[in-house]
Amino acid sequence: MNTTRSTALFTKAQQLIPGGVNSPVRACKSVGCDPRFIAKAKGSKIWDVDGNEYIDFICSWGPMILGHNHPAVKEAITKAMEHGTSFGAPCALEVELAEMVVDALPSVDMARFVSSGTEATMSALRLARGYTGKNVVVKFDGCYHGHADSFLVKAGSGVITLGIPGSPGVPEDIVKNTVSIPYNNIEVLEKTLRDESLDIACLIMEPVAGNMGVVLPKPEFLQAIRALTAELGIVLIFDEVITGFRVSYGGAQSHFDIMPDLTCLGKIIGGGLPVGAYGGKAEIMKHISPEGPVYQAGTLSGNPLAMAAGIATLTELKKPGFYETLNAKAEKFAEELQGIANKHLDKSCLNRQGSVMTNFFAKGPITDFDSAMTADADKYGMYYREMLDKGVYLAPSQFEGAFISLAHSDDDLSRTLEITESVFRKL
Ligand SMILES: Cc1ncc(COP(=O)(O)O)c(C=O)c1O
């Protein structure tokens, strides 16, 4: 595969942008190769600047659930653009998307739009602290909630991928207000939440973890979380930046029937444009400025192009049978992938929730950060490089999910399986 142009761009980018990328995992360090620079995308495919074609399983890290450049989304953005790209003032599209979000998520009475998932979680944390008058946030090892200071403690995603425990630049004073505990461990959870020496404002979690690879919550774990936080007056925040509109139209909360107090959204609600949101019970949301005292603002929040893309995306997702079709596609693919893995690998464990999955190079079961860390990341690197060279674009880390979109055809998926089998045979 010729990658001359990507190589040249990466060389130049490294002089101009730290690490040559604007988000660390994209540099492909943990999989031992250089990134491909992408020129265009359509449906299930992306093409790099050298003209190489790939079947894309990153899907922009989740947002492209309809596939790239979906006609309805493109049309909505184009139409909105005719009226201007940013007003810095309220617009009708914000109200329309807010109504769709409130209708979709049973626990959300009101929502505030921001421009990224990080902004959503950071703002929800401030709100929870402002509402309760307490400071401590409890999170789970290996969960990622964006890059705000308070969450960079035992975090997932790029933080695991690059093998760093946290981040310099995060003051000790902030770290001491973050308590990180193991996922799926009810005993530690209960002990922590009942610890009266902690001044706990909120517990934030990914209801299905996606940033240490996909890790499913035990049903009794989610139930214990809801019961304990309700009993102890701790604000429960579901970070549904990945799971919102992915696990079901009503997010993971509808799928598991567990209602958080606050929900963070991102990715899919922007249809590929930069959008995040946080929402929840009116009683809590009314503490946000200007209705209440907790300050949060944004120059480009509620941007009309982003709102239009979100509305168009959600309109497609609402169509009858969307999730049944998508999840059936993903289930069939996962079953066949598992079959191939069982045949050729000595260690493999596939975790899947609907249309997002991780095949761990590990014996499994993978239920938390420690078990995820048993995966053979070097082997994943070899697998990644081979797949990339054969035209399959996977996440450049063992500790991320593979996303299936509606645009992945039967042919895309069977071709991917054939390539996978040829690569697994050699590993
Ligand atoms: C669960 C979760 N929360 C928050 C974020 C941060 O979102 P963003 O990258 O849009 O800031 C991510 C990003 O991957 C995420 O997966």
Side-chain angles (χ1 to χ4, degrees), residues 116-118 144-146 206 211 239 241-242 267:
S116 68
T118 294
Y144 179 67
H145 303 294
E206 293 178 74
N211 286 291
D239 177 350
V241 167
I242 289 181
K267 301 194 190 263

Side-chain angles (χ1 to χ4, degrees), residues 171-191:
E172 267 307 306
D173 263 5
I174 290 188
V175 171
K176 76 172 198 269
N177 283 317
T178 302
V179 175
S180 191
I181 58 176
Y183 202 78
N184 272 328
N185 186 326
I186 296 177
E187 210 176 302
V188 177
L189 170 81
E190 176 151 19
K191 196 160 163 256

Side-chain angles (χ1 to χ4, degrees), residues 21 25 44 81 90 141 169 179 186 208 212 215 226-227 230 253 277-278 315 356 364 416 426:
V21 289
V25 179
S44 60
M81 201 158 61
D141 303 346
V179 175
I186 296 177
V208 175
M212 47 183 151
V215 173
R226 182 61 283 186
Q253 56 194 262
Y278 62 107
T315 304
V356 57
T416 302
K426 287 204 283 179

